[in-house]
Amino acid sequence: TRINGIKAIKETGSNVVRLYINENTTDPDLENAMVKVVEQGLVAIVTLESDKLTCSSNTATLNSAVDTLWLKKWLCVMAQDRFQPYLIINMASGWGPEGVFHPDSFGYQDYLDAYKAMIGKFRTAGLKVPIAIDAPCGQDYHAFARDRSRTLVSADTAKNIILSVQADGSRWNSGDKLTSAVTNLMEAGAPFAITSF
C-alpha cells in the first residue's frame, strides 16, 4: 500500500523519494515500486533498512547484505537500463559505529574500509548509478570530516558517491546544530543528501 504513496509524494513538488526495502522485499516488489517511481518522474534513493545493519559496525553483516541481497536477489532489477536515470542505491540505512561522533576520531576507519570494499563490489557488478553512503546511525556527519569523504569518493571508479545523513536525534535538534552539521557536510567536499528530518 505504501507504493501508492509515490504519486502523493510527487504531488508535493518533490523530485525524489526514499524507497525503503528490507530482506523480505522480492525482486518483483522492487521492480513494481521502481516502475511507479519512473511513472512519476522521480528519483528513488533505494535504501536497505534492517535492524541488523542500523548502528552496527559488523562488516560481515554488511558484506552479506551486499552479496546476497543487492548483488544477487535485486541485481536483475537494479541493472535494468530503464531504471538507471531514476536510481540511487543506499546499501544500508545508518550502518556504522555508534557513539563516535567526533571529527578527529580514528573510530571511523573500519567503516571507511568496509564501504570502500562494498563500493568496489557494486562497480565490479557493472552498476554505475550513484551510491549513497549513510552516516553512521544516519546522524554522525563527522564520519565524512577530515578528508574521509574524499577517501570514499576516491574509492569509487565511477566517482558517483553521495553522502547521506538523517537529520534527527539530539545532534540535530536546534537551528545551531543543524547549521553546524550542514556546514560540516559542505566542507566535506562531496555531494550530500539530507534524507529525513
Side-chain angles (χ1 to χ4, degrees), residues 111-153:
Y111 165 85
L112 295 172
D113 291 343
Y115 266 125
K116 288 189 297 185
M118 297 309 109
I119 291 165
K121 287 184 175 197
F122 276 84
R123 300 313 184 206
T124 299
L127 295 169
K128 295 183 171 111
V129 298
I131 296 175
I133 305 294
D134 250 12
C137 296
Q139 304 169 9
D140 188 355
Y141 54 86
H142 289 306
F144 305 129
R146 305 292 186 264
D147 288 330
R148 289 186 283 267
S149 65
R150 289 180 185 88
T151 298
L152 292 169
V153 172

Side-chain angles (χ1 to χ4, degrees), residues 71-146:
L71 300 181
K72 186 174 181 184
K73 184 178 184 181
W74 301 321
L75 183 61
C76 61
V77 177
M78 299 288 105
Q80 291 182 34
D81 288 343
R82 63 182 172 156
F83 296 143
Q84 300 309 290
Y86 304 95
L87 178 61
I88 297 171
I89 294 173
N90 182 341
M91 61 184 93
S93 179
W95 186 84
E98 186 174 16
V100 178
F101 208 85
H102 193 281
D104 297 321
S105 176
F106 294 104
Y108 301 110
Q109 193 58 52
D110 290 343
Y111 165 85
L112 295 172
D113 291 343
Y115 266 125
K116 288 189 297 185
M118 297 309 109
I119 291 165
K121 287 184 175 197
F122 276 84
R123 300 313 184 206
T124 299
L127 295 169
K128 295 183 171 111
V129 298
I131 296 175
I133 305 294
D134 250 12
C137 296
Q139 304 169 9
D140 188 355
Y141 54 86
H142 289 306
F144 305 129
R146 305 292 186 264

Side-chain angles (χ1 to χ4, degrees), residues 60-77:
T61 305
L62 178 65
N63 195 50
S64 176
V66 168
D67 289 347
T68 63
L69 297 173
W70 286 109
L71 300 181
K72 186 174 181 184
K73 184 178 184 181
W74 301 321
L75 183 61
C76 61
V77 177

